Each structure stands twice: as structure tokens, then as C-alpha cells.
Amino acid sequence: MIFLDAAATTPVRREVLEAMWPYLSGEFGNPSSHHSLGDAAAAALAGARAATATALGCRPGEIIFTSGGTEADNLAVKGIALARRAADPRLDRVAISAVEHPAVEESARYLERVHGFAVDVIPVDSFGQVTVEALAGVLRPETALVSVMYANNEVGTVQPVARLAALARARGIPFHTDAVQAAGWLPLDTAALGVDALSLSGHKLGAPKGNGALFVRGRTRLEPLVHGGGQERGRRSGTENVAGAVALATALTLARTSRPGAPEDPGSRVAALRDDFIRAVLAGVPGAILTGHPTERLPSVASFCFPGTSGESVLLELERQGVICSSGSACAAGSDAPSSVLLALGIDAEVAQTAVRFSFDPTVTADELRQAAAAVGIAVAGVQSLGPAR
Ligand code: PLP
């Protein structure tokens, strides 16, 4: 099997498993307990927080461990917007891009439905990018928060986060970015990005599913969503997932070496393989359309539409040939509605149903992608020969 669905999830890295194992076994203490086992767990948690902060160029106190990217996004969007409006009732709008993950989009819709906020959707261009002008077009004096993802999970387009955050900052509006897909591939220095909040998820990076983190800058007001014993400085109650935090910190620390420009640089290696793969697919499949930005995209994502097919059929055919990929976002699994991300790019609904995403982890090889590109040609031709998609 050639696994090309790393944007959905990744296997746990051996180093990560080894780092977390002690906190699942001998050192199983509760970090709030006042005995040696508790102290050891608290020390491990503090170490994980410090390592995560180093990866994000922030202070340890600015990191909140969560149960994953979804919870981090919920806490950022709801927590910041609700806290700001509590301080100033005029702040009753949130601005999100048209291509956000449901964790951000549905959080904003919840604020609208339950708390009476207005949601301003920032349009994207045909590559899926938000321009500074588009953001400027929706900002209002009442905007409590802006949320624009760092890199898109379906098409891989990377947003000009630093420029967008600078505009929000100039207007005094906190800026959140969902960096779940960017982590491991793009620089995460929160100071250079100029963001006030940033979400991460462990399982996209070689840590287990069910752990993540939210960076929230210094004095940013934040209303907690989970109430209880006051862990995470009162911002997220619940006994901490010590092993999960250690796993996330270890995965992030390992991934720092995979960033473009880092000492070992799988980022540019994978970007070159991605470009060869895109060329091979476009050459081998008449009518294939690359979705997302041609250059400002994650090294790890190549996404296409294959008009005249259905994405699901191509996917099944590819699996028969030993290639695992995705017909859209795994996070919207179970839904056969066309992807709202592709619709936001201006792709028509029928073509959007033919989307297939290939996403790579840092270990992907040229040989695997050569085989996969050949399999795509065969799979699409096979599906097209069955007649028009219904
Ligand atoms: N944000 C983005 C961009 C994602 O791709 C995902 C998962 O696919 C999430 C958030 C949700 O993260 P998690 O699966 O850790 O809840």
C-alpha cells in the first residue's frame, strides 16, 4: 500500500511512542497530586509545555493543551469572541475565511446561532487565498476576532498569515490561525507570524489522535469553554493528558527539522516530489485540474478534480491498485455534498464532486509517487470508461 492520506492522519512515530510511554506506565501520576508520582507528571507536563513553546517561539504560559485541533479551534474562536464581547458589548462580529475547517466554521456559526454574533465570511480567490484587500473589506469596528487558517486541508493553499495578521493588529483585532496542516511544513514562529492565537493537532505530525494545543498570546482575553478543576491556568479544566502533551511536544520538536530552511529539509525535497507528481498527473490524465494555489501550497498536498468521474469511484479504483488517498476532507466524512472549500474557489458543484486529494508525509519517496501517478491515470481512465458519473 502507498499511503497518500497524511493530511487525514499519520502513524505515531517511534520516537514519539518512546517519549510518551513512561507516562502511560510507571510514571502514571496526576500532575495535580502532591506526591512524587504527581511531581514527576507535573515535571513532564512542564517540559512538554516548554518544548511546545520553543517550537512556537512563545512563552510556556501561552500554551494550552487540548484534546486536538478541533478543541483548539473551538476555544480560540468562541473563547476569544465571547471574552471580548463580555468586555465590550459592541464587539459582536467575527470574520472567518470562506475555506475554514468545520472546527472554525461551526464555532463561528454557534456564536451566531446561540450568542447573536454576526459572521462575516472573507472571500478567497480562485486559488483559495485571502488577500489583504479582501480582509480589509470585511473588518468593522465591531469585529471581535479574525480567524484565517495557515494552510488549507483540502487544497493545500497557504495563506499570507503574517500580512493578514498585521492588518488585524493595526485595527486592534485579535487574529487566530488554524495551523493544524501547516505544522511540520511551515515556520510556526508566532512572533514572526504576528498572530494572537494558533491551533495545533498532534495526529497530523506523528503523535496519537486526541491531543493538540492552542497558543494564546499574553494578555488576550479568553473565556474558558470547559469548566472544572482549573487546570491549564483555568483556561481548560480536566486532568491533563500528560502522555499526549509529551507526544505532541516530541512530534513538534522532531518536525521542526522538516521545515523548509531547517538543517535537514524534507520540506523542499517533498515539494519537488509533489511538483513532479502534479506534472505527471496533469500529463497523464486529460482534463485533470489542479486545485489550490500552483506555488503557494503545502509541500505535502496535491489535489485535483477529474471531470467526468466521481471522486469516490476514483478513490476506490486507486485503493484496488494499492494507493490510499482521499476524495476530499476526511473531517467531513459521511457527507457527499460537494466541498464548500472547492465551491468557494469558484469550482462548479459537479466538478467539485470529482475531487481527489493526495497528501504526503515527510518519508514519501519518488518511486512511490511515480507509481501513484501511473495508478491515477489508470484509475481515472477506468472510471471514465464506465460512462458519465451520476
Ligand atoms: N483544522 C484543520 C485544518 C484540520 O485539517 C483538522 C483535521 O483534519 C482539524 C482542524 C481538526 O483537528 P483534530 O482532528 O485534531 O480535531
Side-chain angles (χ1 to χ4, degrees):
M1 280 293 178
I2 301 176
F3 179 73
L4 302 184
D5 200 14
T9 198
T10 57
V12 178
R13 291 179 70 155
R14 167 168 285 278
E15 307 93 310
V16 170
L17 208 51
E18 282 170 2
M20 69 190 293
W21 173 246
Y23 308 102
L24 295 167
S25 50
E27 309 273 331
F28 61 87
N30 182 327
S32 300
S33 297
H34 297 287
H35 49 60
S36 56
L37 272 179
D39 293 346
L45 190 64
R49 201 182 303 283
T52 304
T54 300
L56 300 189
C58 67
R59 293 198 303 272
E62 295 174 314
I63 299 294
I64 304 168
F65 288 115
T66 68
S67 65
T70 298
E71 186 189 330
D73 284 344
N74 272 260
L75 181 54
V77 174
K78 298 176 190 171
I80 295 174
L82 289 172
R84 290 204 80 214
R85 196 180 62 175
D88 180 349
R90 287 169 300 183
L91 298 174
D92 64 356
R93 306 186 78 89
V94 291
I96 63 169
S97 87
V99 293
E100 292 304 307
H101 186 275
V104 166
E105 206 209 326
E106 292 303 317
S107 294
R109 295 295 167 201
Y110 163 84
L111 289 174
E112 176 179 59
R113 203 173 57 247
V114 178
H115 294 279
F117 278 78
V119 178
D120 295 307
V121 176
I122 315 157
V124 294
D125 63 20
S126 61
F127 298 135
Q129 258 185 347
V130 172
T131 61
V132 171
E133 295 69 33
L135 175 59
V138 306
L139 293 184
R140 308 257 292 257
E142 306 82 41
T143 308
L145 172 75
V146 175
S147 183
V148 178
M149 71 201 322
Y150 197 167
N152 184 262
N153 47 305
E154 292 186 44
V155 296
T157 297
V158 175
Q159 303 292 349
V161 167
R163 278 184 280 136
L164 300 174
L167 173 63
R169 170 164 290 192
R171 308 266 180 107
I173 306 168
F175 187 99
H176 164 249
T177 194
D178 173 340
V180 166
Q181 292 292 344
W185 299 106
L186 303 175
L188 291 179
D189 186 325
T190 52
L193 289 170
V195 298
D196 301 289
L198 179 146
S199 305
L200 293 174
S201 169
H203 73 103
K204 313 288 184 180
L205 281 170
K209 295 157 192 64
N211 64 79
L214 178 67
F215 154 79
V216 181
R217 187 175 298 288
R219 293 190 195 286
T220 311
R221 290 174 193 271
L222 186 76
E223 182 64 37
L225 305 182
V226 181
H227 304 97
Q231 289 88 345
E232 299 290 302
R233 295 192 177 179
R235 296 167 299 181
R236 198 271 187 182
S237 288
T239 302
E240 301 89 338
N241 178 358
V242 179
V246 168
L248 176 69
T250 307
L252 264 179
T253 305
L254 291 167
R256 290 179 75 201
T257 57
S258 37
R259 286 201 326 239
E264 305 154 39
D265 188 2
S268 50
R269 186 186 75 83
V270 175
L273 296 181
R274 173 206 62 195
D275 290 340
D276 290 346
F277 177 73
I278 290 173
R279 269 192 293 274
V281 170
L282 293 177
V285 182
I289 300 164
L290 176 71
T291 55
H293 200 286
T295 53
E296 303 287 303
R297 62 188 301 136
L298 286 173
S300 51
V301 174
S303 51
F304 304 90
C305 286
F306 300 118
T309 68
S310 95
E312 285 296 332
S313 319
V314 172
L315 200 70
L316 286 175
E317 197 46 48
L318 279 169
E319 183 157 8
R320 260 196 284 276
Q321 294 182 49
V323 177
I324 304 267
C325 56
S326 156
S327 63
S329 161
C331 311
S335 144
D336 58 2
S339 144
S340 60
V341 168
L342 297 178
L343 298 181
L345 270 60
I347 296 172
D348 75 49
E350 202 172 316
V351 173
Q353 300 273 24
T354 72
V356 179
R357 175 189 73 185
F358 302 88
S359 52
F360 323 130
D361 80 8
T363 64
V364 70
T365 66
D367 198 42
E368 285 173 325
L369 291 188
R370 262 194 300 274
Q371 286 180 48
V376 175
I378 297 167
V380 172
V383 171
Q384 283 170 339
S385 71
L386 298 175
R390 271 164 300 151

